[in-house]
Amino acid sequence: AQTVTQSQPEMSVQEAETVTLSCTYDTSESDYYLFWYKQPPSRQMILVIRQEAYKQQNATENRFSVNFQKAAKSFSLKISDSQLGDAAMYFCAYRSARETGTASKLTFGTGTRLQVTL
Amino acid sequence: DTAVSQTPKYLVTQMGNDKSIKCEQNLGHDTMYWYKQDSKKFLKIMFSYNNKELIINETVPNRFSPKSPDKAHLNLHINSLELGDSAVYFCASSQYRSPAFFGPGTRLTVL
């Protein structure tokens, strides 16, 4: 079974600075997807960024980028130029690329609460 | 235009009651899910349907019964509610090789 670990329960960053959230995972599969979801106090789950395991290039979405290290099974999220609106819980998630049966579910880490200070 | 909607957003009820949560998606996705987020914010899959067929049932008490009348709707009925059922329940949908999109969540409080 796949597992996802987020070892930082809480992080803090000053506005306009850069912060990196860590995520490691365990799987025996070679093809899968990794995601970062943001959950602000409104509790809505918002997709931040996705990475396909077969792509070597790290995904980027505006101020958000990932460092995907497949051999190390590491998938960290970097937030540049942090804004007050970035304050939220951030969840790392894994999904198998096999789209049948239980493979399509998301397995989540325990989350990292990000605080943004002035 | 809401992609995945859930009703109600808040549900407060007494132990022993039966309640339902409804979910609808207008994304045309084939697969829908129910996830439970506990008080420690941990998210875990409960059920998944693909084209109205149950494909995931993760050791959930049989007091929980999902129903999918069509591929755009997935409802969750809970019988004999217990204190431990208090949580946020998220509906989500996805399509082949696409990420999952979540509804706004339903905060269930059992008194």
Side-chain angles (χ1 to χ4, degrees):
Chain A
Q2 293 81 21
T3 58
V4 178
T5 302
Q6 292 179 250
S7 59
Q8 305 155 316
E10 293 188 2
M11 293 282 285
S12 183
V13 62
Q14 282 194 316
E15 202 176 15
E17 297 297 309
T18 295
V19 64
T20 298
L21 307 184
S22 301
C23 173
T24 58
Y25 59 94
D26 190 27
T27 184
S28 58
E29 297 180 325
S30 59
D31 195 13
Y32 48 86
Y33 306 100
L34 296 164
F35 306 92
W36 279 98
Y37 281 88
K38 169 185 177 181
Q39 187 178 39
S42 66
R43 80 165 177 257
Q44 177 72 54
M45 293 289 288
I46 302 164
L47 177 67
V48 175
I49 200 164
R50 67 180 285 189
Q51 175 79 43
E52 288 89 346
Y54 66 86
K55 290 186 178 177
Q56 291 187 335
Q57 187 172 6
N58 289 324
T60 299
E61 289 285 343
N62 301 314
R63 299 182 295 106
F64 298 87
S65 61
V66 298
N67 184 0
F68 173 50
Q69 301 288 329
K70 191 172 184 180
K73 295 180 183 172
S74 170
F75 182 60
S76 60
L77 175 70
K78 185 170 86 171
I79 306 174
S80 304
D81 186 25
S82 296
Q83 301 175 358
L84 293 177
D86 295 334
M89 283 286 287
Y90 286 82
F91 293 96
C92 180
Y94 170 103
R95 192 176 92 195
S96 170
R98 291 182 294 116
E99 292 288 333
T100 56
T102 60
S104 65
K105 68 179 183 181
L106 284 168
T107 299
F108 287 92
T110 50
T112 296
R113 183 176 301 281
L114 179 65
Q115 184 180 22
V116 181
T117 58
L118 293 171
Chain B
D1 291 342
T2 304
V4 183
S5 59
Q6 290 178 235
T7 54
K9 290 188 179 174
Y10 297 93
L11 192 50
V12 180
T13 188
Q14 300 287 331
M15 275 176 55
N17 284 349
D18 303 337
K19 290 294 178 185
S20 292
I21 306 171
K22 296 187 175 182
C23 177
E24 177 181 1
Q25 56 97 1
N26 62 7
L27 297 166
H29 289 167
D30 288 330
T31 306
M32 296 185 71
Y33 311 82
W34 281 110
Y35 286 86
K36 179 180 179 180
Q37 186 173 43
D38 64 22
S39 59
K40 296 184 179 178
K41 302 289 189 183
F42 186 63
L43 280 148
K44 189 173 178 186
I45 185 76
M46 297 175 69
F47 301 103
S48 175
Y49 271 77
N50 182 271
N51 275 323
K52 302 193 297 177
E53 180 185 352
L54 179 66
I55 56 172
I56 296 175
N57 183 345
E58 291 269 319
T59 59
V60 177
N62 57 16
R63 297 183 295 103
F64 291 77
S65 52
K67 286 205 173 103
S68 182
D70 56 60
K71 76 173 195 177
H73 295 85
L74 179 61
N75 303 323
L76 183 64
H77 187 76
I78 315 170
N79 290 325
S80 303
L81 277 155
E82 300 177 356
L83 292 176
D85 297 332
S86 295
V88 178
Y89 293 85
F90 284 98
C91 177
S93 72
S94 73
Q95 188 71 333
Y96 179 67
R97 301 188 81 85
S98 82
F101 292 90
F102 285 79
T106 296
R107 179 177 293 280
L108 171 64
T109 303
V110 183
L111 303 174

